[in-house]
Amino acid sequence: MAYRETAVLGLVAAFLLAVTSIVFGADEDRGPLILAGTVSLGSSACGVVVDDSDVVSPACNEDAVLRQDDRLILRIYHPKNGVQHDLTYKIIDRFSLPQPFRVSPIIDMNGNPRFTEYIVEAYTDRDGRAGEVGDGEVFATSGETVSLGTTDLALELTAQ
């Protein structure tokens, strides 16, 4: 009887250790399992300034486009047959641009992702609906799939 209780406790401890390392290790360097880069404000999200001599120049002032309570949403997914597979979100409540980022896909119990390529999107959220881009929010996408392990991805937020 004591052996059975010890075995059960050992299995429970091993399971909790595995779950804890998955949950709390999500932002750790997982080498080839990450997608990393920088989100910045693109010039099309900015206005223009015309000075006294009629010279037009971009007015890319982050404060003019972003609000203090905006959140930055990072979303990755694998597109397959028109469906977003392994959709994963990372929400950054306080940020300033350019903002470095690191995201990882969902992994199985063996630590492996289901796919090796993902689309990466970044956008602001000011209406509390993190799943979609709303009015006044800015958006960036990798466009095409990006291989896991990519560390120099540049996303430029633009007005929609």
Side-chain angles (χ1 to χ4, degrees):
M1 185 70 160
Y3 172 76
R4 187 176 300 169
E5 289 175 4
T6 304
V8 169
L9 288 175
L11 287 173
V12 169
F15 176 76
L16 289 175
L17 180 62
V19 169
T20 302
S21 66
I22 290 171
V23 171
F24 293 109
D27 272 349
E28 291 179 7
D29 184 8
R30 296 196 314 190
L33 294 180
I34 62 147
L35 292 162
T38 304
V39 177
S40 61
L41 198 56
S43 60
S44 68
C46 304
V48 293
V49 171
V50 180
D51 66 13
D52 292 336
S53 59
D54 292 330
V55 175
V56 177
S57 59
C60 202
N61 179 357
E62 178 181 326
D63 296 333
V65 178
L66 302 175
R67 295 180 185 167
Q68 186 174 3
D69 58 343
D70 284 353
R71 301 183 301 170
L72 182 65
I73 311 297
L74 295 166
R75 174 171 61 186
I76 65 170
Y77 61 90
H78 179 80
K80 184 177 178 183
N81 301 327
V83 177
Q84 297 176 353
H85 291 270
D86 286 356
L87 183 62
T88 303
Y89 290 90
K90 182 173 187 175
I91 300 173
I92 304 171
D93 289 322
R94 296 179 192 258
F95 66 98
S96 63
L97 299 176
Q99 174 71 44
F101 70 87
R102 299 167 61 84
V103 291
S104 298
I106 297 170
I107 57 172
D108 64 18
M109 292 299 286
N110 294 318
N112 300 313
R114 286 181 43 196
F115 305 101
T116 59
E117 294 182 327
Y118 290 83
I119 288 181
V120 182
E121 298 175 342
Y123 52 94
T124 58
D125 173 46
R126 63 175 50 162
D127 60 8
R129 295 187 316 210
E132 59 189 49
V133 181
D135 291 337
E137 298 172 349
V138 289
F139 175 80
T141 182
S142 62
E144 299 293 323
T145 56
V146 178
S147 297
L148 289 176
T150 299
T151 59
D152 58 353
L153 186 60
L155 299 175
E156 287 192 358
L157 297 168
T158 58
Q160 295 299 300

